[in-house]
Amino acid sequence: MDARSPKAPGGDALRDAAENLFQELQEHFQALTATLNLRMEEMGNRIEDLQKNVNDLMVQAGIENSIKEQMSIWSQQ
């Protein structure tokens, strides 16, 4: 005999529905996680592009120190 309490009518159906719901939630969570990771990677690429564009504009403007040089100066302070 099963060590659990006696089964209520419809208990198996309720358990199956809960398991299906949990599986569905897990799949949605995994999809959202993948989307979030992709968006974060895209954002990182855009930030890198922005930094390069700003650096190029600074060079065009005749500013001697690039962003990398300025950042290293700031980090030493």
Side-chain angles (χ1 to χ4, degrees):
M1 183 167 180
D2 195 357
R4 294 178 288 184
S5 61
K7 292 184 181 181
D12 288 340
L14 182 60
R15 187 187 70 239
D16 291 345
E19 287 176 1
N20 290 339
L21 179 60
F22 178 74
Q23 180 66 33
E24 197 173 323
L25 287 171
Q26 188 174 20
E27 290 169 4
H28 285 286
F29 180 76
Q30 288 172 343
L32 286 171
T33 300
T35 301
L36 180 61
N37 287 337
L38 179 62
R39 298 275 168 87
M40 287 177 60
E41 183 178 338
E42 290 172 353
M43 187 172 32
N45 291 336
R46 289 179 181 174
I47 289 170
E48 289 173 6
D49 290 344
L50 179 60
Q51 288 173 332
K52 182 186 178 308
N53 290 338
V54 169
N55 193 41
D56 291 346
L57 288 171
M58 290 175 70
V59 169
Q60 288 177 14
I63 299 172
E64 293 182 16
N65 291 337
S66 68
I67 290 177
K68 289 179 183 177
E69 291 170 337
Q70 288 183 14
M71 291 179 84
S72 68
I73 292 169
W74 291 334
S75 65
Q76 294 172 1
Q77 295 178 352

